[in-house]
Amino acid sequence: MHSSLRSVSRRLRRAAAVGTVSAVVASGLVAASVVAAAPAVAADKPKVTIVATGGTLAGKATGRDTYTSYRAGTYPMSDLLAGIQPEVSAFADVDVVQFGNAGSGGYTIAQYRDLTMAVEAALTTSDAVVVTTGTDTMEEFAYWLDLTVQNKKPVVITGAMRPWAAGDTAADAMVLGSDGPANLLQSIRLAASQSTFCFGTVLMLNDEIHAARDVTKGNSTRNDTFVTRMSGVLGWIDGANVVVNRAPARVLDCASEDWFTPFDLDEVSGDLPRVEIFYNYQAAGGEAIAAYAAAGVKGIVTAGTGAGGISAAPGRERTAAINNQGMWFVSTTRTGSGSVTGGSGNIIPGGDLLPQKARLLLLLSRAFTEDVAVARGWFSDFGNPSFSTASLAGSVDPLPGGSTPDPEPTPTGEPTPTGEPTPTGEPSPTGEPTPTGEPTAEPTAEPTGEPTPTAPGAVAGGGSGGSDGGALAVTGFGGIGAVALAALMMLGAGIVAVVRRRHRHLAEQVISH
């Protein structure tokens, strides 16, 4: 059963967010405060909520010079926040939600679900949220929130590779070279800046900003552990300066409902389905897949060799699990980067999603649909989004100034005595029919070399009327009226500036013949 009250509340919040985005887009401004439900804060001090879950950031070391021997999730976030005051209050109004205090690997999927709810609740009154957690599974925390949080405001996840302190409190015996204080300060700075509005969840560590979908932990102990292979960082923070030089593809949908994923956790109840990962290797056995199928697992992500291949024995068990249990499989690669394509039926290609990320998307897909074809589309649209502006090619003017090029004239027949084109709707000097095909009542006087005022939308210059009566009409001046054109021509402007030199050149060529 759906939770009607929470669902209605979520939709109201979502509508408010969409309205705000539309207003920002329309005005061309970036809002410092997105929702006005909370008590007003100064425009230069947005409200940021820290949702803390523990991790190394809150860890207690065995000594000030000890970086790998510590107990994660020891100090409360309120104590850590006090350690970066008053500096943080210079740019943000910060409050704390202590969601938990443990290592990242200790959280369950049910708690992940509760974390999403906690973040969404905080975003109803705050301009942004910072989530702190351990780095071991931080990329999974980040991607889960990226897929499930139904709010466009910034969500930044951070932590530390070195524990905060070695004393009884966070203020005692600070660990030498701890990265925790700087990471916490800079993540709040990033969130408060609104620079990642509509980015979904981003990860910020070591002054680098990464997309939740793409980032992975690349080293077991180094401070610069997080990397985004192939694509690179979204940006960085230099001192107090936030620099963002690329964005996730979903920002293209910022002003529309298409930005939201289908994974609104208010819409599902009960336990979320179990999904596992199978790691392939040379001559791997298939017993693990058979055991997972017997245990009622709903889906398996295969971390295959190369472009997603698995060995013969697990391949047979995969086929049996599909036929007998209707299990879904997602093919990924264990190489760490590169795409996996193809697949049919209950085998879905994971694209370039890492296996641990594909598992979360498969889990949510199994919770929200029974149609594998729908899930396949979600893996394409949400799991592997990419930038494409092809749809704008036919509607956005490619030239500076916002006007399309004037059509090139094709002079035919004889030019007028002055070499100027015959204006539309006026008799030619020879008394020949006008371009409309109607004969003139009287021939004009001797040509004076001056152009005759034209009808709206037609401009003299550049070409010549032909023997078929076809005078050149240059269009594309938008709202310029006939009166304005006539005035310009009577002032002797002659040829409007937008008519290109090539038009004149073509007319001169015709005259020379």
Side-chain angles (χ1 to χ4, degrees), residues 32-33 41-48 91-94 127-128 191-194:
S33 179
V41 296
D44 60 345
K45 288 187 64 177
K47 183 178 179 181
V48 177
F91 57 82
D93 176 18
V94 183
D127 300 304
S193 75
Q194 297 289 303

Side-chain angles (χ1 to χ4, degrees), residues 161 179 205-206 208 210 218-219 221-227:
M161 290 298 290
D179 57 331
L205 223 77
N206 200 41
E208 294 182 341
H210 296 265
N219 189 282
T221 57
R222 301 289 186 266
N223 284 5
D224 60 347
T225 178
F226 284 102
V227 294

Side-chain angles (χ1 to χ4, degrees), residues 92-306:
D93 176 18
V94 183
D95 65 352
V96 173
V97 173
Q98 191 72 50
F99 179 84
N101 213 0
S104 62
Y107 285 90
T108 65
I109 294 298
Q111 289 172 315
Y112 266 31
R113 182 177 187 165
D114 292 340
L115 179 63
T116 295
M117 300 301 181
V119 170
E120 290 183 330
L123 288 173
T124 62
T125 57
S126 291
D127 300 304
V129 162
V130 170
V131 177
T132 63
T133 188
T135 59
D136 282 354
T137 59
M138 183 181 288
E139 62 191 272
E140 291 165 76
F141 269 80
Y143 192 49
W144 173 269
L145 294 174
D146 191 53
L147 289 172
T148 60
V149 171
Q150 304 295 307
N151 197 306
K152 299 177 182 180
K153 298 180 192 178
V155 177
V156 180
I157 194 164
T158 194
M161 290 298 290
R162 295 175 176 176
W164 190 282
D168 291 335
T169 70
D172 300 330
M174 180 74 72
V175 167
L176 301 175
S178 173
D179 57 331
N183 287 340
L184 183 59
L185 178 73
Q186 295 294 64
S187 63
I188 297 170
R189 189 188 305 278
L190 174 62
S193 75
Q194 297 289 303
S195 297
T196 59
F197 191 90
C198 274
F199 278 38
T201 300
V202 300
L203 184 150
M204 201 299 298
L205 223 77
N206 200 41
D207 286 340
E208 294 182 341
I209 308 165
H210 296 265
R213 177 196 172 276
D214 304 326
V215 70
T216 189
K217 188 172 184 178
N219 189 282
S220 60
T221 57
R222 301 289 186 266
N223 284 5
D224 60 347
T225 178
F226 284 102
V227 294
T228 297
R229 301 174 186 182
M230 305 296 287
S231 300
V233 300
L234 297 177
W236 51 88
I237 306 175
D238 288 333
N241 298 320
V242 176
V243 179
V244 178
N245 61 3
R246 75 177 186 90
R250 69 188 304 187
V251 299
L252 292 176
D253 294 322
C254 183
S256 77
E257 283 282 300
D258 292 339
W259 185 91
F260 296 100
T261 73
F263 309 121
D264 184 341
L265 293 176
D266 275 348
E267 300 298 326
V268 294
S269 60
D271 295 337
L272 294 173
R274 184 179 168 192
V275 171
E276 300 290 344
I277 298 175
F278 170 80
Y279 193 93
N280 191 65
Y281 46 87
Q282 188 70 27
E287 291 85 356
I289 291 179
Y292 282 146
V297 169
K298 297 298 183 183
I300 294 177
V301 174
T302 58
T305 51

